[in-house]
Every structure is written in C-alpha cells, then in structure tokens.
Amino acid sequence: RSSDLAAAEELKKDNICIRVMDLFTVKPLDKETILENARATRGRIITVEDHYYEGGIGEAVASAVVGEPDITVTRLAVSHVPRSGKPAELLKMFGIDKDSIVVAVKAAVTQATNSK
C-alpha cells in the first residue's frame, strides 16, 4: 500500500529505517521470513491492514510469533464499522494512514530504546 511506503520515506528523514513486507495472504504465511525480519528490526513488528483486527494479517502474524522471545507485535487495523468516504479520509479515520504509521513506528522505537 502507498501509506506504508510513504511512511517509510517519511521515517528515513529521521534516520529511522523500516522494512515493508506485503503479506498478500494469510495462508500460507511465511513464518520464517517474518521471524527473520523481526529479528533484523530488534523484534519490532507493526502490521497495517485495511481490514478488521479479527481474522486478518495482524492476527496471523501475532499467532505466528507467539512464544518467540523479544518480539513485539503492534497492530493497526480497522476498529469499527466503516462508512463511505474518500480513501485518505478513511485511512486517517481508522489510524492506518501514513501519519499513523509514522507515529506507531516512532513509539515502537522509543519503547525499545527506553527498555534498554
């Protein structure tokens, strides 16, 4: 999605590099690639999806890494019944737009830094 890539570009300005993975489908889920990327990013995963929290990619990723040491999953998703609107308005309303992703990443980085 363009929001993910736009957030990555915005974060580069603050010297925060992220990895963007497109997990097109819940099944089959590539657990090894997810774990490899999680370890490379100090165990921080943020999933972003224009879908409900339940039954989506975020839930699948969280299930795949449960029990893995030092991995944290933050999920951004649609939290209530959608309505009609312009795509940018809806992404912002549900907290899955570029700015929301940037805030979530910065919070994850700050939390990891403060826990050292």
Side-chain angles (χ1 to χ4, degrees):
R1 290 190 351 209
S2 62
S3 297
D4 305 335
L5 298 175
E9 288 301 315
E10 182 73 24
L11 289 160
K12 277 185 189 176
K13 296 175 187 174
D14 292 327
N15 292 319
I16 300 172
C17 296
I18 66 171
R19 294 177 180 209
V20 177
M21 295 176 58
D22 184 0
L23 302 177
F24 177 73
T25 182
V26 173
K27 289 187 178 182
L29 190 67
D30 187 349
K31 180 178 178 175
E32 288 309 311
T33 298
I34 292 168
L35 287 173
E36 177 184 312
N37 282 280
R39 289 182 186 113
T41 58
R42 298 187 185 131
R44 297 173 296 215
I45 298 173
I46 299 174
T47 63
V48 182
E49 60 187 308
D50 54 357
H51 183 279
Y52 290 114
Y53 283 95
E54 300 82 9
I57 294 291
E59 188 173 271
V61 169
S63 293
V65 301
V66 71
E68 294 290 336
D70 302 318
I71 295 181
T72 305
V73 179
T74 301
R75 296 167 51 203
L76 304 180
V78 175
S79 57
H80 53 280
V81 177
R83 61 171 180 78
S84 297
K86 295 178 182 174
E89 291 173 348
L90 297 174
L91 292 174
K92 185 171 185 66
M93 182 174 81
F94 292 117
I96 55 176
D97 63 329
K98 175 193 72 139
D99 293 336
S100 298
I101 297 168
V102 167
V103 168
V105 169
K106 287 184 176 182
V109 168
T110 300
Q111 182 180 11
T113 301
N114 289 339
S115 68
K116 286 184 180 178

